[in-house]
Amino acid sequence: MTVEKWNVDPAHSSIEFQVKHMMVSKVKGAFKDFSADLTLDPEDLTTASLAFTVDAASLDTRQAQRDGHLKSPDFFDVDNYPSITFKSTDITSDGDNEYKVTGDLTIREVTKPITLKVEYEGTSKDPMSGNMVAGFEGTGKFNRKDFGLNYNAALETGGVLIGDEVKLNIQIEISK
């Protein structure tokens, strides 16, 4: 195969996150709206180029009051910073169908490198459209304070309301 442009299938893709809450549980959420610019050769993924743009206002934790707070200036400040972006800078093989994808994550105009562990799930031909499809699962983490997401509150029992580490789980299906 050759390096070609692929398109994200939003019906079969997701960008999810989780953060520790009150030192005892985890809150999960997702971004509903995102787009990507992807060029790759499934036979040599180390040559791929990935760029994602996430609509920060599409954040959903299934709790409207919390979503409103996360969209406020205390966190994502979506009125002033409507997009979150990721652009790959390096992709290396890390075993059979496993890769390390390093790139620049930008939140609130702060850009920091992060590395995602990505598993290539393979390709298949869609029986409905006849298009080739490929699937990937990515995981990673970052410190929210590195991006200016500093809001927190001390707990009476010790510790803090919100953990610093944000875990990512990304499921992507693409087609050409």
Side-chain angles (χ1 to χ4, degrees), residues 132-148:
M132 290 302 296
V133 298
F136 301 88
E137 177 178 23
T139 58
K141 60 186 175 181
F142 64 90
N143 186 318
R144 67 185 179 89
K145 289 185 175 180
D146 289 347
F147 296 90

Side-chain angles (χ1 to χ4, degrees), residues 21-40:
H21 180 253
M22 295 185 65
M23 310 294 291
V24 298
S25 64
K26 295 174 183 153
V27 170
K28 294 182 178 185
F31 291 98
K32 294 180 182 180
D33 298 323
F34 56 91
S35 61
D37 184 14
L38 310 167
T39 56
L40 60 93

Side-chain angles (χ1 to χ4, degrees), residues 57-71:
S58 73
L59 171 114
D60 180 14
T61 65
R62 299 173 312 180
Q63 209 280 330
Q65 185 177 356
R66 178 175 47 226
D67 292 351
H69 191 204
L70 290 170
K71 293 174 187 179

Side-chain angles (χ1 to χ4, degrees), residues 99-119:
Y99 297 85
K100 288 184 180 176
V101 178
T102 300
D104 292 328
L105 177 64
T106 302
I107 302 173
R108 292 176 56 130
E109 294 185 0
V110 176
T111 302
K112 301 280 184 180
I114 68 167
T115 298
L116 304 172
K117 292 171 65 173
V118 175
E119 184 172 350

